[in-house]
Amino acid sequence: MSADGAASVQVNEAGPLRRDAERNRERIVAAARQAYAEAGLEVSMAEVARRAGVGIATLFRRFPAREDLIDAVFADRMDAYVEAADRGLADPDPWNGFAGFVEAICGMQAADRGVADLLTMTFPAAEALQVKHARALERSIQLIDRAKAAGHLRADFTHQDLAILLMANAGVVGATGQAAPDAWRRLVAYMLQAFAASGSAAQNAELPPAPTPAALYQATLQLGSTSRRG
């Protein structure tokens, strides 16, 4: 076979191989996104491989470390995190901008257990995510400073308090699950009242409805069942 013929064979073989590799990558990312959304970031790489229908060796060829997979799965979610902060800064009302940002990111946690975990953890090896996380943090500090300067946010509030809220909300989201899926809204509303400066109208804002006793009871049953399985 001529050199030109050998090169042609290599090119023709490389095309399907590249397509297969890309399909595997897409299946892995899709499976990981669904698994993380349902159960959080504690899902194992082996479980992701099983859901994707690929071998564990194939998964590690595409994503040598867990952080590489997390980087790929949550890139768009972290973009949404930054965009929520940008929307808050664009709001002419400093309190509405701050409160809207808080509600948006807590809503992201409620919609996706993986995001609930992601916003309360640090992954130094996931470099792209860390860059976006730092960008969102910078903007959230600007939102805090702006709301304080306007006299709407209590003077002793810090960005660490926002991190505490995200941790608490992640816990509520994980505990209430499908039984009381809107419970987080009441928690966030209460916290925003607590964050508001003394005498602010935000302290008297109407709260979302509380979960029904039956819904909370069902949530506690599910939480107890999960603990026993653990």
Side-chain angles (χ1 to χ4, degrees):
M1 181 182 293
S2 68
D4 289 344
S8 176
V9 170
Q10 289 175 353
V11 169
N12 289 337
E13 289 179 348
L17 287 175
R18 282 196 296 269
R19 287 195 294 273
D20 286 345
E22 184 57 31
R23 278 195 295 268
N24 282 338
R25 184 184 188 281
E26 291 172 356
R27 288 164 64 187
I28 291 167
V29 170
R33 179 172 286 126
Q34 181 178 14
Y36 291 152
E38 293 172 358
L41 297 184
E42 294 305 313
V43 174
S44 69
M45 296 288 270
E47 173 62 12
V48 171
R50 185 192 68 78
R51 288 183 179 229
V54 302
I56 192 69
T58 297
L59 187 150
F60 278 111
R61 275 198 301 273
R62 302 304 303 172
F63 302 100
R66 176 169 170 260
E67 288 80 5
D68 297 321
L69 180 56
I70 289 172
D71 229 341
V73 169
F74 291 104
D76 58 340
R77 270 56 167 188
M78 291 304 290
D79 286 337
Y81 186 23
V82 175
E83 289 165 5
D86 286 337
R87 286 196 303 274
L89 290 172
D91 193 312
D93 185 303
W95 174 257
N96 286 343
F98 169 77
F101 169 68
V102 170
E103 291 167 351
I105 59 177
C106 288
M108 288 170 57
Q109 287 185 302
D112 188 320
R113 286 285 303 280
V115 173
D117 289 346
L118 184 72
L119 297 187
T120 60
M121 297 180 181
T122 300
F123 300 91
E127 296 180 0
L129 287 186
Q130 287 304 106
V131 169
K132 293 175 182 179
H133 190 276
R135 193 175 301 147
L137 176 60
E138 178 186 354
R139 286 161 170 74
S140 69
I141 291 173
Q142 293 175 23
L143 282 166
I144 291 167
D145 291 343
R146 197 172 70 129
K148 282 184 181 180
H152 299 310
L153 182 63
R154 53 188 299 162
D156 57 355
F157 185 90
T158 72
H159 72 272
Q160 292 96 322
D161 293 315
L162 183 57
I164 292 170
L165 170 59
L166 292 176
M167 292 176 186
N169 191 54
V172 169
V173 168
T176 56
Q178 296 301 312
D182 290 328
W184 69 274
R185 296 183 185 277
R186 193 167 175 89
L187 169 71
V188 172
Y190 265 127
M191 291 297 95
L192 285 172
Q193 285 187 353
F195 299 157
S198 179
S200 169
Q203 289 187 318
N204 299 315
E206 184 176 356
L207 294 171
T212 65
L216 276 184
Y217 177 68
Q218 187 63 34
T220 60
L221 287 178
Q222 292 176 1
L223 188 60
S225 175
T226 300
S227 298
R228 287 192 294 273
R229 287 198 301 271

